[in-house]
Amino acid sequence: MSADFTVAVTGDTVLTRRLSVHTEDRFLSLVKVLRQADVAFTHLETLIHDYDGPEVYPAAEGGWTWMRSPRFVVDELKWLGFDMVSHASNHALDYSYGGLLSTWKALDEGGLPYAGTGRNLGEARQPAYLDTGKGRVALVSMCSSFAIWARAGDARRDMKGRPGLNPLRFHYAADARTIGALKRLATQLGWWVTKTDKAWLFNPAGIHNTVYKFVESDKPGVHPIVDEDDAEDNLRSIRDARRQADYVLVHLHTHEWDPKGNLSIPAEFVPPFARACIDVGADVFIGEGSHAPLRGIEVYKNRPIFYD
């Protein structure tokens, strides 16, 4: 990234009131930072609607609560100086598909590029682009913390895809002793245990769409592993963005942490995946969403990785 190209990065935005009415000097000094950057980024952790429109229903599962913002927030975000937003998060389906459609409509009409959700998996994975006077900026947005039904689905030749978010799923590697303990506990709970060629699958009786996957490993303990398909597809999107843009931002909304430490330590699968994103063309990796103390910054190949 060029030394004279500046990026302002923030975490979650859950905006429900107007900020443009405030005139305090300290607040306006923060707004100035956003406005003076060549590109200012935030994560839109909400949906935009006024409880009307088709299919705007509160989902059966909300991410602690159901997030919603009025339509004027797009104008407020632009007034603040934000140029593009990520949208892949555990709240993206809080108001079903109607909430997604309403949000896209508001962002499109407001001219605010967004990435991370889409009408199918291909659209949710694809980069958003912003042209600036100093070059073109791309944004890829994904999420590792979500209800499984919220992920977007692939389109087929004979079937349209499913709207949703761009997922970065993960499963677990565990030693034989741990797998044995899991099998015994699952049996006591009345869960189904299925052995495949490469993994053990655990799910509540009759609920085959809620499956926990464990791969047996010689390494002691339990270790989360990023899903190979999701990782490769998202890395492909970053490669595409690298070819089409001068600067590439990559976003991951993640709540997971390393249980061997505390909330301030990212999940074990995040650092190697963040570095892989840099390897294939990302200029900045933006992890956020942990609701934890700051997780630190890594500089890898002269590129910043914000773990939260």
Side-chain angles (χ1 to χ4, degrees):
M1 183 174 290
S2 171
D4 65 349
F5 188 88
T6 58
V7 179
V9 174
T10 80
D12 295 335
T13 289
V14 184
L15 191 58
T16 60
R17 299 170 63 179
R18 292 191 181 275
L19 296 181
S20 55
V21 298
H22 296 292
T23 59
E24 291 86 350
D25 289 341
R26 292 180 65 193
F27 171 67
L28 293 179
S29 68
L30 178 59
V31 173
K32 184 178 180 180
V33 172
L34 299 174
R35 291 177 177 174
Q36 290 185 341
D38 293 307
V39 60
F41 159 89
T42 193
H43 174 63
L44 185 63
E45 179 82 349
T46 185
L47 293 161
I48 301 170
H49 64 85
D50 290 328
Y51 302 100
D52 57 0
E55 304 299 321
V56 179
Y57 300 113
E61 297 178 80
W64 199 352
T65 188
W66 288 257
M67 295 291 193
R68 171 264 172 189
S69 295
R71 289 187 172 91
F72 65 69
V73 301
V74 175
D75 294 333
E76 293 297 296
L77 289 171
K78 295 183 73 174
W79 177 88
L80 286 164
F82 289 113
D83 301 295
M84 56 196 326
V85 302
S86 58
H87 196 231
S89 83
N90 55 302
H91 289 286
L93 272 291
D94 274 1
Y95 283 89
S96 306
Y97 300 134
L100 266 180
L101 292 170
S102 178
T103 303
W104 298 335
K105 184 174 186 291
L107 292 171
D108 286 338
E109 290 178 349
L112 198 57
Y114 60 92
T117 55
R119 290 168 178 81
N120 54 55
L121 183 59
E123 189 174 295
R125 290 218 202 278
Q126 71 184 16
Y129 293 98
L130 172 73
D131 289 309
T132 78
K134 293 184 180 179
R136 197 181 201 203
V137 183
L139 170 66
V140 175
S141 170
M142 65 197 90
C143 179
S144 64
S145 310
F146 56 91
I148 197 65
W149 51 266
R151 64 188 178 97
D154 255 330
R156 296 190 331 191
R157 181 178 59 185
D158 57 346
M159 185 180 295
K160 63 182 180 180
R162 180 183 63 254
L165 60 81
N166 175 18
L168 185 72
R169 291 168 292 176
F170 61 94
H171 55 274
Y172 298 94
D175 58 61
R177 181 178 179 181
T178 301
I179 295 287
L182 287 168
K183 289 163 60 180
R184 290 190 295 272
L185 179 59
T187 300
Q188 294 174 30
L189 294 172
W191 283 33
W192 291 41
V193 180
T194 306
K195 179 69 168 67
T196 68
D197 290 340
K198 298 182 179 180
W200 290 92
L201 307 180
F202 299 84
N203 61 278
I207 308 179
H208 294 280
N209 55 353
T210 303
V211 178
Y212 300 92
K213 177 180 176 181
F214 289 81
V215 177
E216 192 166 327
S217 169
D218 294 331
K219 188 177 181 180
V222 180
H223 306 276
I225 300 173
V226 71
D227 180 87
E228 292 180 0
D229 291 338
D230 284 351
E232 184 50 44
D233 279 357
N234 277 294
L235 293 175
R236 185 181 300 114
S237 291
I238 297 168
R239 292 188 191 99
D240 290 343
R242 178 77 279 163
R243 287 192 293 269
Q244 300 292 335
D246 301 291
Y247 308 105
V248 180
L249 313 183
V250 174
H251 162 262
L252 174 65
H253 187 80
T254 177
H255 293 189
E256 292 79 26
W257 70 90
D258 189 339
K260 295 187 292 294
N262 55 49
L263 285 174
S264 64
I265 302 175
E268 192 174 344
F269 68 88
V270 174
F273 179 72
R275 295 175 196 130
C277 292
I278 300 293
D279 288 337
V280 299
D283 291 295
V284 182
F285 182 92
I286 306 162
E288 57 78 43
S290 71
H291 303 274
L294 293 176
R295 288 182 170 180
I297 301 169
E298 177 183 0
V299 177
Y300 174 72
K301 294 185 176 179
N302 293 320
R303 301 289 192 270
I305 297 173
F306 298 96
Y307 284 111
D308 196 74

